[in-house]
Amino acid sequence: MTITETLAEVRGHLQFADVKTKAARRTLDVPDFLAVMLAQHLAARGVDGRKPDALVFVSAGGGPLRATHFRKRVWAPAVKAASLEGQGLTFHHLRHSAVGFLIAVNAPPRVIQRRMGHSSIRVTFDVYGSVLPQGRGVRDRRSHGPVRVLPWCRCGAGPRRRAGRRDAEPS
C-alpha cells in the first residue's frame, strides 16, 4: 500500500494534497490476508490494476469519504458494537494502537518511524513517547502472554512471523 497524498476538508470542500513530508510518502507492507481482503473489496467495486488512482474506501456515492460521515456512520457504530463507548476513542487512536502493537513485537524504533511516516526518530519519540518503552531494558514481550498496550487497546502476543521472512526494514 502506497501513501502518496492526503485528503482534507477545507470550508466544506474536499481537497487532495501532497503529504506533509518526504518521509510521509511511503510504501507499507500489508499481511497477505489483508492484501487478499483489499483485493476482494476492490474487485467487488470493479476496481483493478488499470485504475491505480482509485480510492480504496469510498462513500455510498462512490466519492471520497468525509471524516464527519465516516465518524457517524462507521466509527461510532463500531465503537458501540465493541462496548467501548464513553472512552473518547477516535479513529486516530488506531495509529497509537499500531505503535503499541509494533512495540509489543519489539519492532526497532526506526521501523516504527518509517511505518508512521515521520521525518525523524525524534518526531516519533515526541509524538508516541507515552507508549514507547522508557527506563527499562528491551525484552521480548511475545512470550509473556497478553499485553495491555494502551488504555483503549488490548492485544495478544502479536503476529507470528513466518520462517525466513524479513519483517524489519534495514536501519
Side-chain angles (χ1 to χ4, degrees), residues 112-150:
I112 298 170
Q113 170 202 338
R114 289 182 185 139
R115 188 88 181 166
M116 295 296 105
H118 293 150
S119 57
S120 73
I121 195 66
R122 175 80 182 208
V123 171
T124 305
F125 286 148
D126 288 348
V127 174
Y128 298 104
S130 63
V131 292
L132 292 169
Q134 296 175 354
R136 58 183 189 261
V138 175
R139 62 186 175 91
D140 185 353
R141 295 185 219 173
R142 287 175 287 171
S143 61
H144 291 83
V147 176
R148 187 171 174 117
V149 178
L150 299 173

Side-chain angles (χ1 to χ4, degrees), residues 14-165:
L14 294 175
Q15 295 180 336
F16 286 95
D18 283 334
V19 292
K20 289 189 238 180
T21 66
K22 182 180 172 186
R25 181 178 303 273
R26 62 205 185 276
T27 298
L28 303 174
D29 290 330
V30 295
D32 293 340
F33 79 90
L34 183 56
V36 169
M37 290 173 70
L38 288 170
Q40 291 170 344
H41 168 74
L42 291 170
R45 289 190 21 237
V47 176
D48 59 23
R50 293 175 290 182
K51 299 178 184 175
D53 293 335
L55 297 171
V56 176
F57 302 105
V58 296
S59 68
L65 284 172
R66 290 181 181 272
T68 53
H69 294 163
F70 177 82
R71 266 192 303 277
K72 280 193 297 189
R73 297 174 185 164
V74 179
W75 184 252
V79 168
K80 183 177 182 175
S83 300
L84 296 171
E85 289 178 289
Q87 296 188 34
L89 299 180
T90 66
F91 188 72
H92 190 75
H93 283 125
L94 295 179
R95 277 182 65 87
H96 292 270
S97 296
V99 170
F101 291 137
L102 289 168
I103 292 166
V105 297
N106 284 329
R110 297 282 290 180
V111 170
I112 298 170
Q113 170 202 338
R114 289 182 185 139
R115 188 88 181 166
M116 295 296 105
H118 293 150
S119 57
S120 73
I121 195 66
R122 175 80 182 208
V123 171
T124 305
F125 286 148
D126 288 348
V127 174
Y128 298 104
S130 63
V131 292
L132 292 169
Q134 296 175 354
R136 58 183 189 261
V138 175
R139 62 186 175 91
D140 185 353
R141 295 185 219 173
R142 287 175 287 171
S143 61
H144 291 83
V147 176
R148 187 171 174 117
V149 178
L150 299 173
W152 58 82
C153 170
R154 289 191 192 114
C155 68
R160 294 181 190 235
R161 295 185 176 145
R162 290 189 299 219
R165 182 170 170 186

